Amino acid sequence: MSERVLTFEQALDEVLAQTRSAAGPRAVESVELLTGAGRVLAAPVVADRDQPGFDRATRDGYAVRAGDVGEALRVVGSVQAGESWSGAALGEGEAIEIMTGAPVPVGADAVVMVEHTVLVEGTLRVEAGRSLRVGENVVPRGAETLAGKVVLPAGRVLGAAEISVAASCGLAKVQVFAQPKVAIVATGDELVELDEPMEAWQIRNSNSYTLAALVEAGGGFRGRLKVARDTRADLFERIAQGSMWDLMLLSGGVSMGKYDLVEEVLREFGAEFFFTGALIQPGKPVVFGRLPKRGSFQHGEDGEYSVPHDGPWNGEWTYFFGLPGNPVSAQVCFALFVAPMLRALAGRSEIAPVFVEARLAEEVKGGARVTRFLPAELSGGWDGVEVRVVGWQGSGDVVANARGNGYVVLPAGVEHFPIGLTVRVLLR
Ligand code: AMP
Ligand code: MG
């Protein structure tokens, strides 16, 4: 069996390269704006009108001609947000009281803040020494966007800021991509489900829940398939089911043990492997590839279900990751490799993982020959961001992992990471 073990950088490049071929045409749905929260825009949002639609005051004060600042000004009226000045154009020596968000009357070219003025018996004076620029405290019509311009490109996730833009353009419904379908297959003879009685030496199938939560957070539709026992027959059956989904996440069974059969069975399905391991710790046995998709999803009365294709292969792929069974390894591999692929399948344009920099709050011993991703706690405020490695019992230690909020990256071959060193951190 040919192995392909890559460095971390090579493995990530390989995933990112594959995301490009995975970014084919995908189904589009039209949903209510709020239902679209967290989904990916399938069509750009275009401004339906100039924003602002009028010259908008950004302060409470007086609309004036900037050049009149030194004069005694006559207040001729008032305009508030939601109305439009209906009097004559503002003339020389005149001021119109104006509220934030109101349209600046014709003839005025600036707004002076009320705090900078004195009003005595209808006569307004700007405080001595204050100057006023033309355009000060006014956002001109169309300065934020012009009608017809793209304000949100396709491929963006609809978060609150994007929903704000869509709502400002009057979009009650948005076009979003259909969510990628992600099958989760935990493998292992030792696994028990949460409601089953268990022996001391058995392990609860936590991975399948973890992965489901990660897939949902990453914009996928997830299905937890039945656990596959470490037999060829069981794995065969489960992988056959998983190969009707867009992405299949297997956990366990990819190490070198006698019962680690996942890769072998994947090969029986015609799998192509992009890598069969990465020089990372935890997560070294991670496997990434694709196999011919054998089915698709249909809508039924009880929701969606997968059905095998009959006839020849239609050219579509199911991507898969074989994740190590150890829960922290699986989570690290998800953050590094699965999340970018999931984002690509979801139609997002921003795909690569984002690393931040922080100073080590405590020294860390190095000397590893692989890139390490250790559970770590990132904290900080105005004075900068620091990170500290969480003490743990290895890659099965989900409790320690949950005490952190990310993974500190410790490059291979470095003997010692001193306190204060700037290091990279992958947030989760
Ligand atoms: P494996 O990669 O199959 O050798 O699994 C390594 C270890 O990960 C096992 O011995 C279990 O302790 C743990 N493990 C495997 N699968 C799961 C799972 N679904 N949930 C939680 N822990 C698991
Ligand atoms: Mg196993």
Side-chain angles (χ1 to χ4, degrees):
M1 196 152 77
S2 72
E3 290 295 325
R4 187 156 190 256
V5 179
L6 305 182
T7 65
F8 163 63
E9 291 85 348
Q10 290 168 335
L12 182 57
D13 280 351
E14 188 66 59
V15 171
L16 295 179
Q18 290 308 321
T19 61
R20 286 187 270 283
S21 23
R26 45 179 61 80
V28 171
E29 298 167 11
S30 174
V31 297
E32 303 274 329
L33 179 55
L34 277 183
T35 311
R39 301 285 295 272
V40 182
L41 276 177
V45 173
V46 172
D48 66 329
R49 53 179 208 139
D50 294 349
Q51 288 192 28
F54 52 89
D55 297 341
R56 184 179 66 205
T58 62
R59 291 282 194 264
D60 295 323
Y62 294 89
V64 295
R65 298 176 177 203
D68 286 356
V69 139
E71 320 280 318
L73 302 173
R74 201 154 46 82
V75 179
V76 297
S78 174
V79 57
Q80 69 182 73
E83 21 173 78
S84 154
W85 174 247
S86 54
L90 181 126
E92 209 182 319
E94 291 181 343
I96 294 171
E97 189 186 19
I98 193 163
M99 311 304 157
T100 301
V104 175
V106 175
D109 60 16
V111 169
V112 56
M113 287 164 66
V114 65
E115 296 92 320
H116 297 168
T117 61
V118 188
L119 184 66
V120 181
E121 288 166 7
T123 299
L124 183 80
R125 285 184 182 281
V126 176
E127 278 175 3
R130 293 263 173 210
S131 61
L132 193 65
R133 272 183 299 106
V134 170
E136 198 162 329
N137 300 324
V138 179
V139 180
R141 173 174 183 158
E144 293 159 2
T145 185
L146 294 173
K149 287 234 167 173
V150 171
V151 281
L152 292 173
R156 280 285 284 276
V157 176
L158 272 176
E162 289 75 15
I163 286 178
S164 164
V165 174
S168 79
C169 294
L171 247 69
K173 289 196 150 193
V174 281
Q175 304 273 88
V176 295
F177 288 121
Q179 292 178 302
K181 309 269 187 285
V182 185
I184 295 163
V185 181
T187 76
D189 286 342
E190 73 278 36
L191 300 181
V192 294
E193 281 305 333
L194 307 195
D195 52 0
E196 285 172 358
M198 67 188 294
E199 304 290 350
W201 50 88
Q202 292 182 307
I203 300 279
R204 288 211 171 97
N205 175 17
S206 64
N207 280 355
S208 130
Y209 290 87
T210 319
L211 294 172
L214 288 167
V215 166
E216 284 199 348
F221 171 89
R222 50 72 182 177
R224 291 189 317 111
L225 307 193
K226 211 173 122 198
V227 168
R229 299 302 165 195
D230 293 318
T231 64
R232 202 174 286 280
D234 225 22
L235 283 169
F236 194 90
E237 193 184 303
R238 216 64 79 241
I239 290 172
Q241 288 171 350
S243 61
M244 289 183 250
W245 301 59
D246 301 316
L247 179 64
M248 171 165 38
L249 303 180
L250 296 130
S251 107
V254 288
S255 305
M256 301 303 285
K258 189 170 158 193
Y259 301 102
D260 294 330
L261 304 170
V262 165
E263 280 178 62
E264 246 175 84
V265 177
L266 282 166
R267 274 175 217 275
E268 290 174 34
F269 283 86
E272 178 186 348
F273 288 82
F274 304 123
F275 55 79
T276 58
L279 297 175
I280 61 173
Q281 201 244 323
K284 185 161 178 287
V286 61
V287 167
F288 171 46
R290 65 181 182 183
L291 47 78
K293 195 184 267 185
R294 299 178 53 259
S296 60
F297 270 74
Q298 292 189 355
H299 283 282
E301 274 176 17
D302 307 334
E304 289 182 301
Y305 58 96
S306 56
V307 273
H309 291 308
D310 37 344
W313 178 51
N314 66 4
E316 289 181 350
W317 299 98
T318 296
Y319 289 85
F320 62 79
F321 286 88
L323 304 170
N326 268 314
V328 184
S329 317
Q331 289 175 63
V332 166
C333 291
F334 191 101
L336 293 176
F337 305 128
V338 181
M341 181 47 90
L342 184 57
R343 289 192 278 267
L345 292 170
R348 282 178 67 163
S349 44
E350 302 295 329
I351 287 169
V354 175
F355 295 88
V356 299
E357 286 192 335
R359 282 193 317 271
L360 273 181
E362 286 165 3
E363 63 169 356
V364 185
K365 273 222 315 250
R369 291 210 303 242
V370 296
T371 311
R372 301 182 79 198
F373 296 87
L374 300 185
E377 196 190 342
L378 188 82
S379 59
W382 289 113
D383 298 337
V385 187
E386 56 176 33
V387 63
R388 120 187 17 245
V389 171
V390 173
W392 69 328
Q393 302 299 319
S395 52
D397 192 347
V398 291
V399 179
N401 182 55
R403 281 201 291 269
N405 53 11
Y407 302 98
V408 64
V409 186
L410 301 175
V414 180
E415 281 306 317
H416 178 67
F417 299 94
I419 190 166
L421 183 74
T422 299
V423 289
R424 293 205 179 94
V425 181
L426 179 64
L427 288 178
R428 59 152 198 258

